[in-house]
Amino acid sequence: MEEYRDVYDRYGQKTGKIIGRHDPLLPGEYCRAVCVCLFNSRGEMLLQKRSADKELWPSLWDITAAGGVLAGENGQQAARRELREEMGLDVRLEQERPKLTTFFRDGFSDVFTVRMDMELSELTLQKEEVADAQWATKEEILNRLEEGTFIPYFRSYIQVLFDLYEHNNVFELE
């Protein structure tokens, strides 16, 4: 089934145009994505190892969940969907605002930070996209960046994500 996405302008406003997920964007057109970083009370981030079949960064470790915002969705809906699809977690984010918005060549990514204690055995991984999951400290993630086993984010991006957690700038789940 073809997935569609809204097209945004450089200010993050919908243009009214909808395109297929794999359709190219024209100059001045942007897409929107979401990232969810789930932390536990020990200060570890839940990571996923991307499937070996993924087109981008196969078999590399990544943050908890991420993906594109589909046509008609807002960031909170997309974040909830991505967590549910990839990790089997149903986290209601309707009342939460992203803690950070980053920019990449083709669009914007809204970043949600969540604190929730849970066991890895509670996860249901989407086998087509996620090969494994584990908790990791900031130092472990930075080491994986150096080793080339983590998606090549900027070190400062990982630092900011942990700064948000450490300064209690997270959505708290019980």
Side-chain angles (χ1 to χ4, degrees):
M1 180 172 87
E2 174 77 33
E3 291 182 347
Y4 294 91
R5 58 187 176 165
D6 291 307
V7 175
Y8 296 81
D9 66 19
R10 66 184 288 190
Y11 302 106
Q13 301 299 312
K14 290 182 183 179
T15 65
K17 182 177 178 181
I18 296 174
I19 62 172
R21 178 180 175 182
H22 298 289
D23 292 344
L25 294 162
L26 300 174
E29 293 182 339
Y30 302 90
C31 64
R32 184 169 293 282
V34 293
C35 296
V36 182
C37 299
L38 198 148
F39 293 90
N40 62 24
S41 60
R42 295 183 308 274
E44 299 167 315
M45 185 191 299
L46 181 62
L47 304 181
Q48 66 161 274
K49 186 173 187 181
R50 295 168 63 85
S51 163
D53 297 328
K54 293 291 288 177
E55 181 180 335
L56 296 174
W57 300 299
S59 300
L60 293 184
W61 287 96
D62 195 2
I63 61 173
T64 310
V69 177
L70 300 178
E73 280 185 323
N74 62 34
Q76 292 84 350
Q77 292 166 329
R80 182 179 186 190
R81 177 181 48 76
E82 290 294 339
L83 267 177
R84 189 173 47 244
E85 287 175 1
E86 294 179 6
M87 307 301 271
L89 297 173
D90 192 15
V91 177
R92 299 184 67 87
L93 296 166
E94 288 85 353
Q95 302 303 314
E96 290 305 307
R97 292 190 41 80
K99 301 303 180 187
L100 178 69
T101 298
T102 62
F103 301 90
F104 55 97
R105 184 187 65 216
D106 294 329
F108 316 95
S109 183
D110 291 330
V111 181
F112 294 85
T113 54
V114 177
R115 182 173 20 234
M116 179 177 148
D117 286 317
M118 51 154 300
E119 299 297 323
L120 295 175
S121 61
E122 297 176 53
L123 299 174
T124 304
L125 304 180
Q126 183 183 24
K127 295 301 180 194
E128 300 81 20
E129 295 200 27
V130 182
D132 198 5
Q134 65 181 219
W135 293 102
T137 65
K138 174 174 58 176
E139 292 74 23
E140 290 169 330
I141 294 171
L142 293 175
N143 286 338
R144 288 179 183 181
L145 269 172
E146 292 295 320
E147 297 166 353
T149 59
F150 203 88
I151 287 183
Y153 295 114
F154 293 117
R155 290 178 60 87
S156 57
Y157 178 65
I158 300 300
Q159 180 64 52
V160 165
L161 296 175
F162 276 87
D163 284 348
L164 289 169
Y165 165 78
E166 291 165 7
H167 294 286
N168 206 31
N169 202 351
V170 295
F171 175 55
E172 189 84 37
L173 291 177
E174 300 185 18

